[in-house]
Amino acid sequence: MIPNRTKVEAAAAGGRITAVLGPTNTGKTHYAIERMLAHRSGMIGLPLRLLAREVYDKGVRLKGASLSALITGEEKIVPPNAKYFVCTVEAMPVDIGTAFLAVDEIQLCADPERGHVFTDRLLHARGEEETAFLGADTMRGAIQRFVPRTYFMSRERFSDLAYTGSKKLTRLPRRSAVVGFSADDVYGIAELIRGQRGGAAVVLGALSPRTRNAQVALYQSGDVDFLVATDAIGMGLNMDVDHVAFSALEKFDGFTTRALKPEEIGQIAGRAGRHMNDGTFGITGDAEVPDPETVARVEGHRYEPVRVLQWRNSALSFQSIEALAASLDEPPPMRGLVKARPASDLIALRVLGEQSEVRDRAHAPARVRLLWDACQLPDFHKLSSDEHVRLVRTIFFYLTGDEGVLPEDWFAKQIARLDVTEGDVATLSGRLAQVRTWTYAAHRPGWVKDSAHWQAQTRAIEDRLSDALHEKLTQRFIDFRTSVLMRQLARDDAIDVVLDDSGGVAIGGEVVGKLDGFHFSQADSAAGIHERALRAAAMKGLEGEFFARARKLANAADADITLSEHGRFWWDGTVVGRLAAGPSPLTPTVMFLADENLKGSPREAAQRRLEEWLAARISAKLEPLRMLQTGVDAKAGTTDAMPAQARGIAHQLCENFGSLEVARVVLPADRRPIMRALRPYGVWFGRHSIYLQKLLRPDAAGLLALLWGVWTKLENVPALPRPGLTSFVNDAAAPEGFLAAAGFRAVAGRAIRLDMLERLEETLAKGTVEGATAEGLLPKLVSLLGCTNDELHEVLAAIGWHETHVAGGHKVWRRRNKREQPRRKVRETPPRDVSPFAELASLIDAK
């Protein structure tokens, strides 16, 4: 047996051998395609069917379909005069002879699963005039050892690659690829991105070229800004990716879960950045943070060299099953080569080789070769080992049967059950994987009678399933409405927002909500990320409308603004603000109700206009209180200053919304000096209340009641009494403070206006002096309060009046003396007045 090294040297004698080595994004594959098309004929082996299809399409564009051929395990397009062959590495027909030959991703010689095929191409595949090996610089030493006459070309990356750390999915930049290491991972991440960023295209090595191209087209066209893929994107798939995010830094390699090697991380991360555009990579989700050494290696493209290559003997003996197995089991002929672990074809051969029926049929070299061909049937569907072996056995038995081919009715039945486009993503993916098996079988020489027919049938089914899968992937992982909106927002494009007369807001014909004043409320039809995108788009499109409305409000006339009894500012038919407690009872805070996107001077001007309007309204409606406060402040410290107790009363009136209950105020026996001091300001001293008469007007009383509710932060302010009422039944149990602010006092379940309560006392006192009978006063008293006789008696009893008999048998009204009067349910000790005026008054009294 001639040593492999001698074979290599003999094969290399006919042409130049070049190794083009460097990191990803250095144009190696592009260089090889140009070199191939510059020769009279050529062949290139690529690591993925998807990539092979991409390069084949490029060859068709440049050289024409008649000169371009595509050869993969499941697809063969070989015109009669084909000159340029684009293949997967496993499917390369190296015996046909071409002027140029190239093998891409040659570093896969070290891959435990497929490495032996790449090693075989490195050792034996040659072009008649030129041979090129493309891959990582880690292969330099191995190539020098096994192909010593190689000329090396180093390719530097055109752009920088930088690590940017960990980012949540919601924080990933646009044009990012997120990498998972299983279909479940990819689909799960894509679901999350749909919910948070509008959607993503998905790329897996198991996708058909048709589905993969359709998904990539969604990403490349900008319909979506995110791509979720397996590590298949590391194998030369060209896309405009700016950032690569790893969802994990470990993967299952078929035998065990292991950490990714730095060179594997670099191969994938290198997809970020195209040509002169810099790229970044990082992690997302639960991925562990890579150590600084790994990051430095990836950024600097410095990796451990490949020291051993996977090898399996390709000079096979077909004399018998035993001879074939023995030749496959031969040890590597040289150091630096390691025997590849058993692949599915060798496992199938070993199992079937022990079955007597199989041994009986494989009785000649041609049959042994046929058995080996059947064993090489790819397990696309990832069946269990036993199921895959049974399928291989069935095919071999048919091929060695009477017809010598796969029966047409059986073959038709196998593919017919897969020709169903209904189902979810997993179901359609499973059918696609199965139909790939039959596509492979249809392309094997001599396996079916009418190979062209069955190749067309399986291709048609694959296309239908591919289209259905693309549609399902798109429906499941992409929200186009949201994606378009988010893209417009990211590009700062103009948003087509339509605002109707009622405030309805529509984007692209879709009603998305309503603009009410300065607040956008979203329709209930949207949810999740679409809801957030719609809101962002609406806010962007309504920005000009917000500013225009703010300018209009800032210049609004007083008559255009109103304040409701619930403390809400109305303007232009909508609520634009509300009152909140401020530093004092009569100076509430104005809360301008506008969404956050109204900022800067327009917002400040609108806020200022409402504040000015409120200040003017309080000043006008509550002028007596303002005059009282101004008068006290103006005279303070002068010779004309009010007495201390008068200033204390004035201060309390201002803080208690214009009225005080006499029973709760400490007054001297002689109150005349206080009354004289406060009389110019309209302060009225009655038996029950001290109040400002002008504040009992409905507009002033209503404003005071509202301010009391705001100051006390009462959530549900009671309804104001109807203007003109002198008393009413307090069946709503309105708080005493609210009634007092509105100009009423609670007595025996009724609310009586302050001046009417004093007139009631005056009428009774006058009747007592004049000797009027109770019956004679009754109509007048009832008229004052607007109540029934029984209700009047309850009120009079509560304020200390009762009927008594006098000479002549008549009844008259008399005031009870203090011992006869019922105890009022009030605190025995009046609340302490802590105002400075009260403190000053107590000091003067002490003197």
Side-chain angles (χ1 to χ4, degrees):
M1 178 177 176
I2 301 175
N4 283 13
R5 191 177 181 89
T6 305
K7 288 184 180 180
V8 170
E9 292 174 350
R16 173 188 175 99
I17 301 176
T18 305
V20 185
L21 305 179
T24 54
N25 191 23
T26 54
K28 300 184 296 295
T29 306
H30 178 73
Y31 167 83
I33 294 171
E34 285 189 331
R35 294 298 303 147
M36 178 179 72
L37 298 181
H39 283 271
R40 54 182 171 81
S41 64
M43 179 186 302
I44 184 169
L46 299 156
L48 295 175
R49 179 192 180 198
L50 299 175
L51 185 56
R53 183 77 198 202
E54 181 180 302
V55 174
Y56 165 75
D57 291 339
K58 185 174 184 179
V60 169
R61 291 194 301 271
L62 295 175
K63 288 293 187 178
S66 62
L67 298 180
S68 302
L70 174 66
I71 303 176
T72 69
E74 305 115 84
E75 196 170 12
K76 287 184 175 61
I77 304 174
V78 185
N81 298 318
K83 299 295 183 181
Y84 302 99
F85 297 82
V86 181
C87 321
T88 53
V89 173
E90 286 85 348
M92 292 175 72
V94 293
D95 56 342
I96 64 175
T98 55
F100 175 86
L101 184 143
V103 180
D104 197 12
E105 305 293 356
I106 196 63
Q107 74 276 3
L108 288 179
C109 287
D111 182 72
E113 186 175 350
R114 304 171 62 198
H116 66 89
V117 179
F118 284 79
T119 299
D120 185 73
R121 301 296 182 255
L122 175 69
L123 298 177
H124 304 302
R126 297 292 182 268
E128 296 169 356
E129 299 172 5
E130 183 178 354
T131 301
F133 298 116
L134 322 170
D137 196 62
T138 56
M139 280 292 292
R140 180 182 293 269
I143 295 175
Q144 283 178 330
R145 179 174 186 177
F146 294 108
V147 191
R149 296 182 181 179
T150 301
Y151 169 73
F152 288 92
M153 293 178 58
S154 294
R155 307 281 288 196
E156 298 298 326
R157 184 178 165 93
F158 298 147
S159 57
D160 289 337
L161 181 64
Y163 176 69
T164 57
S166 177
K167 287 184 173 67
K168 295 181 179 179
L169 286 176
T170 54
R171 299 291 185 183
L172 289 178
R174 295 173 60 247
R175 314 309 293 168
S176 287
V178 185
V179 180
F181 293 95
S182 70
D184 288 343
D185 288 344
V186 168
Y187 294 154
I189 294 167
E191 289 273 17
L192 290 174
I193 292 179
R194 186 188 195 278
Q196 297 175 353
R197 307 297 295 271
V202 297
V203 171
L204 302 89
L207 293 182
S208 67
R210 190 180 183 94
T211 304
R212 175 264 179 190
N213 289 342
Q215 287 289 302
V216 169
L218 289 174
Y219 177 79
Q220 290 293 90
S221 66
D223 285 341
V224 293
D225 285 325
F226 299 92
L227 178 75
V228 187
T230 60
D231 50 352
I233 68 167
M235 296 297 175
L237 297 180
N238 296 316
M239 287 166 284
D240 298 326
V241 175
D242 295 333
H243 179 79
V244 171
F246 290 84
S247 66
L249 290 178
E250 57 183 21
K251 73 172 184 176
F252 182 73
D253 63 4
F255 286 85
T256 185
T257 299
R258 62 171 178 80
L260 294 177
K261 300 174 184 177
E263 55 267 31
E264 292 173 321
I265 297 174
Q267 181 75 26
I268 301 167
R271 292 298 106 195
R274 301 303 303 165
H275 196 54
M276 301 301 293
N277 297 323
D278 295 335
T280 58
F281 72 100
I283 59 174
T284 189
D286 297 328
E288 293 187 5
V289 177
D291 60 82
E293 175 63 21
T294 298
V295 172
R297 285 179 176 273
V298 174
E299 289 181 333
H301 316 297
R302 296 181 290 102
Y303 308 113
E304 292 292 330
V306 174
R307 302 190 186 280
V308 293
L309 309 184
Q310 299 292 317
W311 180 86
R312 188 172 78 175
N313 185 25
S314 60
L316 303 180
S317 171
F318 295 101
Q319 294 302 312
S320 65
I321 295 179
E322 291 80 2
L324 174 60
S327 61
L328 286 166
D329 202 36
E330 282 191 12
M334 301 176 61
R335 294 183 62 184
L337 302 177
V338 62
K339 188 167 67 173
R341 64 193 183 194
S344 61
D345 53 3
L346 181 54
I347 293 172
L349 178 66
R350 288 174 175 174
V351 173
L352 295 176
E354 295 177 356
Q355 298 179 10
S356 58
E357 292 182 350
V358 174
R359 296 174 66 86
D360 291 342
R361 289 174 179 260
H363 51 72
R367 290 291 186 89
V368 175
R369 184 183 293 275
L370 188 57
L371 174 61
W372 180 238
D373 286 345
C375 288
Q376 291 185 292
L377 180 76
D379 183 13
F380 294 119
H381 196 39
K382 302 302 179 184
L383 302 170
S384 68
S385 179
D386 289 344
E387 290 179 297
H388 182 65
V389 169
R390 281 197 296 271
L391 178 59
V392 171
R393 183 178 187 273
T394 300
I395 289 176
F396 176 66
F397 276 29
Y398 279 131
L399 295 178
T400 56
D402 294 338
E403 296 185 20
V405 293
L406 299 178
E408 291 199 343
D409 57 345
W410 178 81
F411 195 86
K413 183 179 179 181
Q414 302 305 311
I415 64 173
R417 63 186 179 86
L418 302 175
D419 193 9
V420 181
T421 56
E422 288 78 22
D424 58 15
V425 169
T427 302
L428 292 171
S429 297
R431 291 185 190 132
L432 261 175
Q434 292 181 68
V435 83
R436 289 177 68 187
T437 299
W438 304 114
T439 302
Y440 178 91
H443 281 85
R444 296 303 297 165
W447 280 28
V448 291
K449 283 184 178 179
D450 189 351
S451 59
H453 168 73
W454 292 115
Q455 289 169 14
Q457 288 292 308
T458 55
R459 176 62 182 271
I461 294 174
E462 180 177 316
D463 287 349
R464 286 192 290 271
L465 290 173
S466 297
D467 293 342
L469 178 58
H470 170 64
E471 183 178 350
K472 288 295 183 182
L473 290 171
T474 303
Q475 290 175 357
R476 180 173 171 183
F477 301 126
I478 299 175
D479 185 336
F480 277 110
R481 298 178 305 166
T482 302
S483 182
V484 169
L485 286 175
M486 295 186 75
R487 189 164 62 254
Q488 288 179 317
L489 290 170
R491 295 175 181 170
D492 203 26
D493 293 346
I495 306 295
D496 182 21
V497 174
V498 177
L499 181 66
D500 63 28
D501 294 338
S502 66
V505 179
I507 297 178
E510 178 185 0
V511 177
V512 299
K514 183 177 182 180
L515 181 62
D516 194 7
F518 296 92
H519 174 64
F520 173 71
S521 55
Q522 197 152 329
D524 295 334
S525 57
I529 179 61
H530 187 56
E531 178 184 13
R532 297 192 292 274
L534 281 177
R535 181 172 184 82
M539 288 303 184
K540 180 178 176 62
L542 292 172
E543 189 174 43
E545 178 67 19
F546 271 88
F547 289 158
R549 290 189 178 191
R551 288 192 295 270
K552 185 178 178 182
L553 173 57
N555 296 303
D558 286 348
D560 295 335
I561 303 173
T562 59
L563 182 65
S564 75
E565 62 183 17
H566 299 101
R568 294 180 176 87
F569 290 92
W570 285 77
W571 169 78
D572 201 24
T574 188
V575 176
V576 294
R578 65 177 179 84
L579 294 180
S584 71
L586 301 183
T587 54
T589 298
V590 175
M591 305 293 291
F592 179 43
L593 302 180
D595 289 332
E596 293 181 355
N597 65 317
L598 179 60
K599 301 175 182 177
S601 57
R603 187 185 188 100
E604 294 170 359
Q607 170 86 26
R608 188 165 53 249
R609 179 66 186 103
L610 294 180
E611 291 172 347
E612 292 172 350
W613 183 92
L614 178 65
R617 183 176 179 82
I618 291 176
S619 178
K621 300 299 181 182
L622 306 182
E623 184 181 13
L625 270 182
R626 182 180 61 81
M627 295 296 293
L628 177 62
Q629 183 66 59
T630 303
V632 171
D633 294 341
K635 293 182 178 181
T638 68
T639 57
D640 196 24
M642 286 185 183
Q645 286 188 322
R647 293 200 305 275
I649 295 297
H651 177 76
Q652 291 183 70
L653 283 170
C654 291
E655 287 200 341
N656 288 276
F657 304 92
S659 72
L660 298 170
E661 190 175 358
V662 171
R664 299 186 181 187
V665 179
V666 178
L667 292 171
D670 184 8
R671 63 178 72 175
R672 286 176 296 178
I674 300 175
M675 295 172 65
R676 282 196 299 271
L678 295 176
R679 186 177 297 123
Y681 301 101
V683 178
W684 184 270
F685 284 76
R687 184 176 184 86
H688 296 280
S689 304
I690 304 172
Y691 60 96
L692 285 88
Q693 182 72 29
K694 290 183 179 180
L695 296 183
L696 299 182
R697 296 170 181 170
D699 53 354
L703 181 56
L704 284 169
L706 171 61
L707 294 177
W708 179 89
V710 172
W711 175 250
T712 59
K713 300 179 182 179
L714 193 67
E715 292 185 4
N716 298 311
V717 178
L720 289 169
R722 190 174 68 252
L725 281 180
T726 57
S727 77
F728 60 91
V729 178
N730 187 24
D731 50 8
E736 289 187 7
F738 169 79
L739 293 175
F744 287 79
R745 189 75 63 211
V747 180
R750 291 191 72 80
I752 304 174
R753 205 170 70 197
L754 301 182
D755 59 340
M756 289 298 105
L757 187 58
E758 300 303 333
R759 284 185 63 184
L760 187 67
E761 288 280 1
E762 292 173 5
T763 302
L764 287 166
K766 184 178 180 182
T768 300
V769 172
E770 295 176 352
T773 64
E775 291 81 359
L777 285 177
L778 188 61
K780 191 171 186 179
L781 298 175
V782 169
S783 175
L784 283 174
L785 299 185
C787 62
T788 66
N789 291 349
D790 292 339
E791 290 171 337
L792 175 66
H793 281 81
E794 291 178 2
V795 169
L796 294 180
I799 63 175
W801 291 85
H802 69 102
E803 287 182 317
T804 186
H805 290 276
V806 295
H810 298 292
K811 289 182 179 181
V812 294
W813 290 104
R814 292 287 186 268
R815 189 185 302 278
R816 291 188 180 94
N817 56 44
K818 291 185 178 181
R819 286 176 293 180
E820 295 176 330
Q821 290 187 19
R823 294 177 62 84
R824 299 185 62 215
K825 294 181 179 179
V826 297
R827 287 180 292 182
E828 295 182 2
T829 303
R832 180 169 176 261
D833 189 349
V834 295
S835 69
F837 301 104
E839 293 291 338
L840 181 60
S842 64
L843 292 173
I844 294 174
D845 289 342
K847 293 180 179 180

